Amino acid sequence: MARGSQRYSEEDFGSLEGRASKTEQKKAVQRMAALGEQLAQLSIKQIQKLPVDERLIDALMEVQNISSFEARRRQFQRIGKLLRNEDETIILSYLTPQQGAKRQAQLMRWVDRMIEQGDPAITEFSKIYNASERHTLRQHVLRINRDKTQQASEADIEASKVKFVNYVQQIALLSDQG
């Protein structure tokens, strides 16, 4: 088959809509590993109280005994993989008290502003929070606005907004860290 002879239809692209690219998936894994690093900084009592899988708690406890840089890096990758099976909202609820209520209110104002204003607010947010990805922020905002214009159910709109809020909280935590 010649190189340019294959034609794609709208249906081909429709099946890919909403699916994360490989780059986005890799960045999500990196964010989860970084969140794992922050979870490992919690006290032993706080780690044991986390409402997560026992394997994740064991992995977080083990990392405190590892001194080799490469072994720690691999352990945090493992923790990041285990975190993918957990509810982000619960994990963030254990990490966000470190930021304080004032910071949380500020992040919620950013979320509302990005949804209302779009690219100008996204660009400004990206300058302040260096761990953010403009493309991912745009995707979240577009998804929320598309749900509103297509008159999706309130539950769908709220689910999209929760995902966006979780992403913004992760970015704020990682920007503070780095």
Side-chain angles (χ1 to χ4, degrees):
M1 179 180 276
R3 188 165 194 199
S5 64
Q6 186 174 4
R7 299 282 179 225
Y8 295 101
S9 68
E10 278 296 315
E11 292 174 14
D12 295 330
F13 292 109
S15 66
L16 296 175
E17 189 176 325
R19 194 183 290 171
S21 68
K22 280 191 175 185
T23 303
E24 289 171 338
Q25 291 173 355
K26 287 178 185 177
K27 291 193 185 282
V29 168
Q30 290 170 344
R31 279 196 314 274
M32 287 297 165
L35 286 176
E37 289 180 36
Q38 291 203 344
L39 283 173
Q41 292 173 5
L42 296 174
S43 71
I44 293 173
K45 285 184 179 182
Q46 289 174 315
I47 291 173
Q48 290 172 339
K49 288 181 181 178
L50 287 172
V52 295
D53 186 32
E54 194 65 35
R55 293 181 302 165
L56 178 58
I57 291 173
D58 292 342
L60 288 167
M61 301 295 271
E62 288 173 20
V63 80
Q64 297 186 1
N65 298 326
I66 299 173
S67 58
S68 165
F69 174 81
E70 184 60 21
R72 285 180 68 85
R73 186 190 67 76
R74 285 192 310 268
Q75 184 70 3
F76 283 124
Q77 282 183 327
R78 179 173 171 248
I79 289 169
K81 193 178 247 185
L82 291 170
L83 278 170
R84 282 188 265 169
N85 300 326
E86 301 297 333
D87 184 9
E88 286 181 26
T89 309
I90 293 172
I91 296 191
L92 288 169
S93 71
Y94 275 82
L95 292 174
T96 52
Q98 297 172 348
Q99 291 180 321
K102 184 177 179 181
R103 182 71 182 270
Q104 284 303 105
Q106 181 185 32
L107 290 176
M108 290 308 294
R109 284 192 303 273
W110 269 113
V111 167
D112 294 338
R113 189 170 157 208
M114 284 188 277
I115 291 170
E116 290 172 20
Q117 296 177 2
D119 281 339
I122 290 171
T123 302
E124 192 175 335
F125 181 83
S126 296
K127 287 178 183 175
I128 296 170
Y129 296 95
N130 58 354
S132 65
E133 288 288 323
R134 267 186 261 183
H135 176 74
T136 306
L137 290 168
R138 269 192 209 104
Q139 291 300 315
H140 282 289
V141 170
L142 287 172
R143 188 171 297 120
I144 291 168
N145 288 330
R146 184 190 65 212
D147 287 349
K148 286 180 181 178
T149 58
Q150 292 179 350
Q151 298 173 344
S153 70
E154 282 296 319
D156 289 343
I157 295 171
E158 192 58 33
S160 295
K161 193 168 180 180
V162 166
K163 286 180 183 178
F164 186 40
V165 169
N166 285 346
Y167 177 73
V168 168
Q169 287 177 335
Q170 288 177 18
I171 292 306
L173 284 167
L174 298 178
S175 294
D176 290 346
Q177 180 187 31

